[in-house]
C-alpha cells in the first residue's frame, strides 16, 4: 500500500521539522511525505526548505503554493497537489505542523488501513499542554480497539454538543483515494468554508454510511501558544490568530454566521457553524436540529478559559441574552461535560497524574513519543455511546 502524509504549514518552520521527523524516523516502506509550505515569512520558508534539502531523503518532497493562501484554500491546494503528484498512492492523511506521530504510530494506522483499504480510519490524539508551567501531558482514555461507527450517530452526537474524538477531520484520519474522488464529484473540491477540517468532516458524514475509529492515540499535538483554536478559547489575539482572522472569507464580526449567535467567537461555535452551514446547504436528512440549551452550555464551558475578565463577562452576557442560565449539573450532565471537555482538548484540564509534569518541552515530547502509557476505557461505554461494532485489528 502506497500512502502520502501531507504536512501543511504556515510560519512554523521550527515545529514543522518535528512533524517531518516523526514520520521519516519510522522508516516505513511505501510512505511518502509532502510538506506544503504556505508561509508568508521568508525566514520560515528558507529555514524549512533548507531543512528538507539537508535531509536529502527521497521520501520527502517540499512544495509551495504559487501565492499565500487562506487555510481552506491551502488545504485544498495541497490535497490536489498530492493526488496529482502521487498517482500510485492509495491513501492520504494530513499531519499538521503542531502534531507529531508517536513511535510506531504511523505503522499502527497504516496496518488498519491495509486491512480495511476502502474505509476512512480515524483515531484520537493525546496532547502536551505547554502554554502553562509546569508542562503536563494528557493521555485520553482508550479501548485500544477498532470500531465501526455509523456516521449518522456521529452527526447526532454533534447536534447534542458531544464532539467525539472519532470525527474524521483529515488531520486525524487516513483516507482512501476513492473518498476524495467522491467528494470532488459531489462538491467540486475536497475542502471549503472557514474551518476545512470540520468542513471535510461533515461532508464525509454525509457521503459515507460508516467510518472506522481506531480508539487509540497514535499521535499527539502541542505548541498550544501557536494554535489558532486554543487562542480563541483563551480569548487572546495571537499572531497566528490575527493571521487566520485576516484571511477569513467573511466579516470577523459574524464569522460564525450559520449559528444561533453569529457574534460569539469560540472554537465550539466555529464547529457548530460548519455543522449548521452544511445542514442548511445540503438539506441532508443525516444532519439534525441542534439542542439549543446544550449549544449554550458547551459554549459556556469553553468560555471558562477566557483570560480577560471583561471579555469573559461580555461573552457570558451574550449567552445570557440568548437564554443561558447556569444551573447545577446532574450526574448525567457531568458525564456529557467530561466528554465535551475531552474532545475540545483546548480547555484547561489537570494533569492525568502527578508524574506527568515536565519543566522542559523537549522532555515532554520525548516522553509522549516513546511512552506506551494508556488510560483504559470500557468497551461497553464506547459501544453504547457510538452505537459501534467492534472489528478485528489483526
Amino acid at each position: 500500500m502506497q500512502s502520502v502524509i501531507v504536512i501543511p504549514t504556515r510560519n512554523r518552520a521550527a515545529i514543522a521539522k518535528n512533524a517531518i521527523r516523526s514520520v521519516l524516523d519510522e522508516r516505513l516502506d511505501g510512505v511518502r511525505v509532502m510538506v506544503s509550505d504556505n508561509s508568508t515569512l521568508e525566514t520560515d520558508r528558507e529555514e524549512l526548505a533548507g531543512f528538507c534539502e539537508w535531509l536529502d531523503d527521497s521520501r520527502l518532497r517540499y512544495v509551495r503554493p504559487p501565492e499565500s493562501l487562506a487555510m481552506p484554500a491551502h488545504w485544498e491546494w495541497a490535497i490536489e497537489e498530492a493526488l496529482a503528484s502521487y498517482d500510485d498512492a492509495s491513501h492520504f492523511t494530513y499531519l499538521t505542523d503542531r502534531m507529531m506521530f508517536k513511535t510506531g504510530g504511523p505503522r499502527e494506522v497504516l496496518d488498519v488501513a491495509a486491512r480495511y483499504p476502502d474505509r476512512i480510519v480515524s483515531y484520537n490524539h493525546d496532547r502536551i499542554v505547554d502554554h502553562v508551567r509546569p508542562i503536563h501531558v494528557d493521555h485520553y482514555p482508550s479501548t485500544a480497539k477498532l470500531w465501526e461507527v455509523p456516521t449518522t450517530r456521529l452527526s447526532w452526537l454533534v447536534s447534542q454538543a458531544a464532539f467525539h474524538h472519532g470525527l474524521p477531520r483529515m488531520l486525524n484520519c487516513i483516507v482512501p483515494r476513492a473518498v476524495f474522488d467522491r467528494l470532488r464529484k459531489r462538491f467540486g473540491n475536497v475542502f471549503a468554508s472557514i474551518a476545512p477540517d470540520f468542513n471535510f468532516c461533515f461532508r464525509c458524514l454525509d457521503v459515507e454510511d460508516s467510518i472506522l475509529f481506531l480508539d487509540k492515540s497514535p499521535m499527539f499535538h502541542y505548541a498550544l501558544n501557536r494554535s489558532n483554536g486554543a487562542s480563541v478559547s483563551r480569548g487572546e489575539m495571537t499572531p497566528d490568530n490575527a493571521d487566520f482572522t485576516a484571511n477569513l472569507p467573511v466579516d470577523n464580526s459574524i464569522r460564525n454566521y450559520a449559528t444561533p449567535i453569529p457574534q460569539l467567537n469560540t472554537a465550539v461555535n466555529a464547529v457548530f457553524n460548519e455543522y449548521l452551514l452544511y445542514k442548511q446547504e445540503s438539506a441532508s436528512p443525516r444532519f439534525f436540529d441542534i439542542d439549543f440549551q446544550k449549544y449554550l452550555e458547551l459554549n459556556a464551558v469553553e468560555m471558562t478559559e477566557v483570560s480577560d475578565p471583561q471579555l469573559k463577562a461580555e461573552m457570558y452576557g451574550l449567552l445570557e441574552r440568548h437564554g443561558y442560565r447556569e444551573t447545577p449539573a446532574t450526574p448525567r450532565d457531568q458525564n456529557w461535560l467530561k466528554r465535551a471537555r475531552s474532545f475540545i482538548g483546548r480547555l484547561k484540564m489537570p494533569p492525568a497524574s502527578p508524574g506527568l509534569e515536565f519543566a522542559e518541552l523537549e522532555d515532554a515530547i520525548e516522553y509522549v513519543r516513546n511512552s506506551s502509557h494508556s488510560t483504559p476505557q470500557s468497551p461497553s461505554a464506547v459501544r453504547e455511546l457510538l452505537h459501534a461494532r467492534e472489528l478485528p485489528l489483526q
Side-chain angles (χ1 to χ4, degrees):
M1 187 178 80
Q2 301 292 318
S3 303
V4 177
I5 297 175
V6 179
I7 301 179
T9 184
R10 183 179 177 93
N11 299 333
R12 295 172 179 166
I15 58 177
K17 295 176 187 178
N18 289 338
I20 295 167
R21 286 193 184 102
S22 76
V23 181
L24 296 182
D25 287 353
E26 295 293 296
R27 298 290 174 186
L28 295 172
D29 293 334
V31 176
R32 276 75 59 83
V33 178
M34 190 188 85
V35 177
S36 184
D37 189 354
N38 190 36
S39 296
T40 59
L41 302 176
E42 186 61 31
T43 52
D44 277 83
R45 290 197 297 265
E46 291 179 354
E47 180 180 351
L48 190 54
F51 174 75
C52 292
E53 183 178 3
W54 173 79
L55 285 175
D56 191 24
D57 193 314
S58 61
R59 299 168 298 166
L60 175 64
R61 180 170 175 244
Y62 172 89
V63 299
R64 294 179 187 171
E67 59 185 355
S68 174
L69 300 173
M71 182 181 175
H74 179 219
W75 277 38
E76 177 65 17
W77 183 88
I79 195 60
E80 291 296 337
E81 181 71 16
L83 289 166
S85 300
Y86 301 96
D87 56 6
D88 61 337
S90 61
H91 288 75
F92 299 80
T93 186
Y94 274 27
L95 179 70
T96 71
D97 50 19
R98 292 195 311 104
M99 289 180 162
M100 295 175 66
F101 273 111
K102 298 179 182 179
T103 300
R107 185 179 297 278
E108 286 186 301
V109 170
L110 293 170
D111 284 349
V112 176
R115 183 176 177 86
Y116 302 95
D118 299 327
R119 310 298 299 278
I120 295 175
V121 180
S122 71
Y123 34 86
N124 201 356
H125 47 83
D126 290 337
R127 69 172 182 152
I128 298 175
V129 182
D130 56 352
H131 68 295
V132 295
R133 293 295 185 272
I135 296 166
H136 66 264
V137 172
D138 289 326
H139 287 293
Y140 293 108
S142 74
T143 60
K145 296 180 181 295
L146 182 66
W147 302 94
E148 182 177 31
V149 185
T151 50
T152 50
R153 178 62 178 179
L154 289 170
S155 176
W156 183 84
L157 286 172
V158 172
S159 76
Q160 302 303 298
F163 303 161
H164 191 267
H165 306 294
L167 287 167
R169 295 172 290 138
M170 195 61 200
L171 51 75
N172 70 328
C173 60
I174 187 163
V175 183
R177 179 183 287 270
V179 172
F180 297 113
D181 292 340
R182 287 196 287 275
L183 292 176
R184 293 154 95 194
K185 182 177 180 180
R186 177 163 173 182
F187 303 104
N189 51 31
V190 175
F191 302 106
S193 193
I194 297 173
D197 52 346
F198 280 100
N199 171 262
F200 173 84
C201 169
F202 298 132
R203 287 177 170 188
C204 287
L205 297 192
D206 202 16
V207 302
E208 301 292 305
D209 290 330
S210 65
I211 65 161
L212 305 188
F213 171 53
L214 177 61
D215 190 15
K216 294 186 70 174
S217 294
M219 61 196 300
F220 62 94
H221 71 117
Y222 69 111
L224 297 189
N225 63 320
R226 299 301 308 273
S227 166
N228 172 61
S231 65
V232 168
S233 293
R234 298 191 298 268
E236 300 171 353
M237 180 58 77
T238 64
D240 294 280
N241 189 15
D243 179 57
F244 177 84
T245 300
N247 287 281
L248 286 173
V250 297
D251 185 340
N252 183 48
S253 64
I254 54 167
R255 65 196 292 177
N256 298 315
Y257 58 93
T259 69
I261 312 178
Q263 304 85 357
L264 188 61
N265 185 18
T266 64
V268 163
N269 212 29
V271 177
F272 276 113
N273 187 67
E274 295 299 337
Y275 182 87
L276 291 170
L277 182 60
Y278 186 84
K279 181 180 186 299
Q280 293 166 12
E281 291 179 345
S282 67
S284 171
R286 300 172 67 85
F287 291 78
F288 308 90
D289 293 339
I290 65 170
D291 185 309
F292 184 65
Q293 288 304 313
K294 286 184 177 178
Y295 162 81
L296 295 175
E297 289 166 7
L298 189 56
N299 275 291
V301 168
E302 182 178 349
M303 285 156 44
T304 61
E305 186 71 358
V306 175
S307 54
D308 184 326
Q310 181 177 346
L311 176 60
K312 181 184 287 189
E314 291 173 357
M315 294 174 75
Y316 274 116
L318 186 58
L319 281 188
E320 288 167 355
R321 289 195 294 276
H322 285 80
Y324 172 72
R325 299 292 181 270
E326 186 173 1
T327 57
T330 66
R332 181 168 181 166
D333 291 335
Q334 291 286 3
N335 289 334
W336 168 76
L337 287 171
K338 183 178 180 180
R339 288 197 300 268
R341 287 190 177 103
S342 179
F343 175 81
I344 292 169
R346 301 179 174 117
L347 303 184
K348 193 172 184 179
M349 303 193 324
S353 74
L356 297 179
E357 293 185 351
F358 300 87
E360 302 294 335
L361 177 58
E362 293 77 10
D363 294 335
I365 289 175
E366 182 68 17
Y367 164 78
V368 179
R369 279 197 72 185
N370 298 294
S371 172
S372 59
H373 178 89
S374 178
T375 303
Q377 175 161 277
S378 165
S380 61
V382 173
R383 187 178 294 111
E384 179 182 358
L385 175 66
L386 297 180
H387 294 181
R389 177 172 71 100
E390 185 180 346
L391 296 180
L393 274 169
Q394 302 296 330

